């Protein structure tokens, strides 16, 4: 039975069905949209300004974070980034649930990290309710260009994800994985 006392945000973060058009969630997305727009309009000489924006946008950032604009996210406040994280051009994180990225992680251009998804049953999808599942990326991970990380996935430490991969299942540590669907092709 659905707990009617839960807010839509609480439902979203717990993995339950929720309405994304809730006023509080809309306001939080507008905040993130404003901050990412400000960030994306900075120049390479404005590193201090960029840092201030990222500190306001994200839940947690480690040392030596560098994001090459443009960058986009839904909320920002559900993203935790470790030390020495680099995101190349045009990365998108749909953080309708928690996204945790470890230390020494490299994201190539056009990497997509999606916690959000929709019900597969058409009748339920027509209600406008959505779902979200957390994503965790370990330490010392390299994700190749154009890869898509799907809801609920965990990627182990010291792993490489090949360019263009669609990661729909957990990937263990110390492997090279690639393809659609992404699968282990080599153990390190």
């Amino acid at each position: 039975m659905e707990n009617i006392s839960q807010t839509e945000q609480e439902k979203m973060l717990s993995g339950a069905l929720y309405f994304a058009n809730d006023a509080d969630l809309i306001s939080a997305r507008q905040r993130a949209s404003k901050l990412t727009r400000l960030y994306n309009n900075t120049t390479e000489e404005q590193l201090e300004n960029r840092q201030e924006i990222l500190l306001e946008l994200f839940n947690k950032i480690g040392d030596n974070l560098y994001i090459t604009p443009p960058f986009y996210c839904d909320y920002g406040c559900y993203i935790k980034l470790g030390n020495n994280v680099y995101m190349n051009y045009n990365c998108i994180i749909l953080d309708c649930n928690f996204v945790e990225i470890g230390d020494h992680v490299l994201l190539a251009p056009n990497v997509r990290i999606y916690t959000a998804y929709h019900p597969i049953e058409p009748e339920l999808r027509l209600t406008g309710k959505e779902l979200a599942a957390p994503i965790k990326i370990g330490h010392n991970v390299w994700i190749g260009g154009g890869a898509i990380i799907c809801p609920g996935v965990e990627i182990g430490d010291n792993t490489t994800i090949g360019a263009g991969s669609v990661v729909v299942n957990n990937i263990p540590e110390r492997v090279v994985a690639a393809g659609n669907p992404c699968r282990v092709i080599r153990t390190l």
Side-chain angles (χ1 to χ4, degrees), residues 64-68 84-89 104-108:
N64 301 315
L65 169 63
Y66 192 85
I67 300 175
T68 304
N84 303 305
V85 171
Y86 175 73
M87 294 184 204
N88 211 323
Y89 297 101
H104 308 286
V105 173
L106 304 171
L107 303 181

Side-chain angles (χ1 to χ4, degrees), residues 112-153:
R112 307 294 195 247
I113 298 174
Y114 300 149
T115 66
Y117 63 108
H118 299 277
I120 57 171
E121 299 86 5
E123 297 79 16
L124 187 53
R125 193 168 49 244
L126 286 172
T127 68
K129 291 183 177 182
E130 300 179 12
L131 295 153
I135 291 174
K136 183 175 182 182
I137 298 170
H139 303 296
N140 195 28
V141 171
W142 174 28
I143 300 177
I148 298 171
I149 313 302
C150 292
V153 165

Side-chain angles (χ1 to χ4, degrees), residues 20-144:
N21 62 354
D22 172 73
D24 291 335
L25 293 178
I26 290 170
S27 176
R29 285 194 307 273
Q30 288 172 338
R31 173 193 164 274
S33 180
K34 176 184 177 184
L35 290 169
T36 55
R37 184 181 69 253
L38 291 171
Y39 185 84
N40 292 335
N41 287 325
T42 62
T43 66
E44 46 284 337
E45 291 86 19
Q46 296 175 299
L47 295 179
E48 191 173 306
N49 190 16
R50 283 182 177 179
Q51 181 74 5
E52 291 170 4
I53 294 168
L54 294 178
L55 283 168
E56 187 176 346
L57 178 63
F58 294 133
N59 180 299
K60 174 191 170 285
I61 63 172
D63 295 330
N64 301 315
L65 169 63
Y66 192 85
I67 300 175
T68 304
F71 167 79
Y72 303 96
C73 65
D74 270 341
Y75 297 94
C77 60
Y78 306 119
I79 299 172
K80 295 180 181 181
L81 303 170
N83 297 317
N84 303 305
V85 171
Y86 175 73
M87 294 184 204
N88 211 323
Y89 297 101
N90 212 30
C91 286
I92 296 175
I93 300 178
L94 299 185
D95 61 316
C96 300
N97 206 310
F98 297 102
V99 174
E100 186 176 338
I101 297 176
D103 298 334
H104 308 286
V105 173
L106 304 171
L107 303 181
N110 298 306
V111 168
R112 307 294 195 247
I113 298 174
Y114 300 149
T115 66
Y117 63 108
H118 299 277
I120 57 171
E121 299 86 5
E123 297 79 16
L124 187 53
R125 193 168 49 244
L126 286 172
T127 68
K129 291 183 177 182
E130 300 179 12
L131 295 153
I135 291 174
K136 183 175 182 182
I137 298 170
H139 303 296
N140 195 28
V141 171
W142 174 28
I143 300 177

